[in-house]
Amino acid sequence: MTTPDPSKPLTAAAVLERCDELASHSSLPDGLIERVYLSPEHAAVNALAAGWMRDAGMATWQDAAGNQCGRLEGATPGLPALLLGSHLDTVPSAGRYDGILGVLTAIAVVERINADGRSLPFALEVVAFGDEEGTRFGTALLGSRALAGTWLDAWWELTDEAGTTLHDAFVAFGLDPAAVTAAARTSNDFVGYLETHIEQGPVLEENDLPLGIVSSIAGARRFQITITGKAGHSGTPWTHRRDALAGASEAIVAIERLARDADLIATVGHLEVFPDAVNVIAGRAEFSLDLRGRFDADRDAAWQRIEALLEEICSTRGLHVAVHQTHAAPAAHCSDRLRGVIAAGIRAADRSDDGPAPLELLSMAGHDAMAVAHLTEIGMLFVRCAGGVSHHPDESVTEPDVASALDAFEAAVLALADG
Ligand code: HGY
Ligand code: MN
Ligand code: MN
Ligand code: MN
């Protein structure tokens, strides 16, 4: 095992350079970033992360679901581990810090602790999850749900845009679908899970804070909604039209109004029209819906009202609606214990023992921590990102904030060890 040089702790600048290197592994041209589960780009960044994990002194392996893992033993071999990590996959036309900063912060902190010769009462494991976003197959958290032991065999027939099934993508990546359950860990394997992530919202910036503590993560449900009418000549009189796109448009605006009134967040990010021609009335419109809120019960009650709304709009317009849920993740709560060590880490980083308590905030963005919460306590450290922008090439963080995050995350791990 490598023993890193304590005189050269991994700096924020080095972590940001690694973010840039990972960003170069993309399936898109012109500097745009897209890296999906079980792709050649995924294999490339797993190899890079594995090398950096080994430089930090970890033993490394790729698990049966394609997650890249590393482990540094504690005071004695075989102890349960504190799991650290995030994800390496991205949305289309992504930023370079969502998920990636969390993986690299975890590796850097293990390197620092190892270099300082600290032997902790637990092992340290780092996991770089392969599919948090769900970009390729539509349902999210596949990597972390494999580790959590909540994988569903119903997913094997999910297909990507090219029609490749998840099953065949596993095989092409060199994985055995029948062995995916080998990725599942147990609660006894871990003492907890800590994840660093950019906030993907404006709250830290509005409060002029570099770091914050996540209190809980909003649960999301995703749907594919298909509205069917009758394609026809664009000169058809109003009395004879059953326009699926006009119906979908009315529904989308009505859903937004309903979500705003219910203090929820609803996003329609995908829309496809058939036959998609300037002089043909749309016979079919298919759109996605991502619905999330602080409380699952409010979200689910609103979803029932949305279903009634869809039926009403479609019956008025002589249209048919079909709904298919593609993803559901319950809200997850960060434990008092791990929120406490994150707070201790932030205070240590900004040396503000007598300052105001670090800010706690809800994450409207989903995270792998939601899936890992099935196994063990979770805690998350948020890092300010400019304008709260994420899932966009303009996603950005500052070197000083990353330096603070490294110090805070290391101090949080040590606070747990000393606790
Ligand atoms: O969708 C989300 O909230 C996360 O970024 N995957
Ligand atoms: Mn994301
Ligand atoms: Mn993320
Ligand atoms: Mn589609």
Side-chain angles (χ1 to χ4, degrees), residues 125-285:
E125 282 193 23
V126 174
V127 57
F129 290 115
D131 181 78
E132 188 272 347
E133 303 288 1
T135 301
R136 183 173 180 186
F137 294 102
T139 192
L141 306 174
L142 291 179
S144 37
R145 288 199 277 186
L147 178 137
T150 53
W151 183 276
L152 298 177
D153 284 342
W155 296 336
W156 289 124
E157 292 317 304
L158 290 173
T159 56
D160 66 11
E161 284 198 339
T164 304
T165 63
L166 177 56
H167 176 281
D168 293 352
F170 248 64
V171 174
F173 199 71
L175 298 169
D176 174 4
V180 70
T181 50
R185 308 292 293 275
T186 71
S187 302
N188 296 331
D189 287 331
F190 302 121
V191 299
Y193 173 73
L194 292 180
E195 179 170 357
T196 295
H197 204 290
I198 54 171
E199 180 199 339
Q200 300 177 301
V203 175
L204 289 177
E205 188 173 66
E206 284 166 359
N207 286 273
D208 193 22
L209 294 169
L211 304 174
I213 310 165
V214 175
S215 55
S216 58
I217 307 166
R221 289 175 72 181
R222 296 180 186 175
F223 304 89
Q224 178 164 302
I225 298 167
T226 304
I227 291 184
T228 309
K230 183 149 178 58
H233 194 291
S234 56
T236 304
W238 290 114
T239 48
H240 289 66
R241 301 167 78 101
R242 291 194 291 124
D243 186 333
L245 180 52
S249 307
E250 182 181 349
I252 292 167
V253 171
I255 288 169
E256 183 186 55
R257 193 177 306 115
L258 187 151
R260 280 176 182 275
D261 294 348
D263 193 24
L264 298 169
I265 304 281
T267 307
V268 174
H270 167 87
L271 172 68
E272 269 179 284
V273 181
F274 303 88
D276 194 12
V278 63
N279 58 351
V280 180
I281 299 168
R284 193 170 86 245

Side-chain angles (χ1 to χ4, degrees), residues 340-405:
V341 298
I342 297 272
I346 292 174
R347 285 184 180 284
D350 61 18
R351 294 165 185 78
S352 65
D353 282 346
D354 49 2
L359 185 70
E360 288 216 0
L361 58 163
L362 165 72
S363 175
M364 284 311 282
H367 301 287
D368 288 303
M370 301 165 93
V372 180
H374 181 80
L375 274 191
T376 188
E377 288 179 53
I378 62 169
M380 286 193 73
L381 170 69
F382 260 177
V383 185
R384 171 170 48 189
C385 55
V389 169
S390 183
H391 285 190
H392 188 281
D394 289 349
E395 200 175 88
S396 76
V397 291
T398 68
E399 188 177 324
D401 284 359
V402 173
S404 297

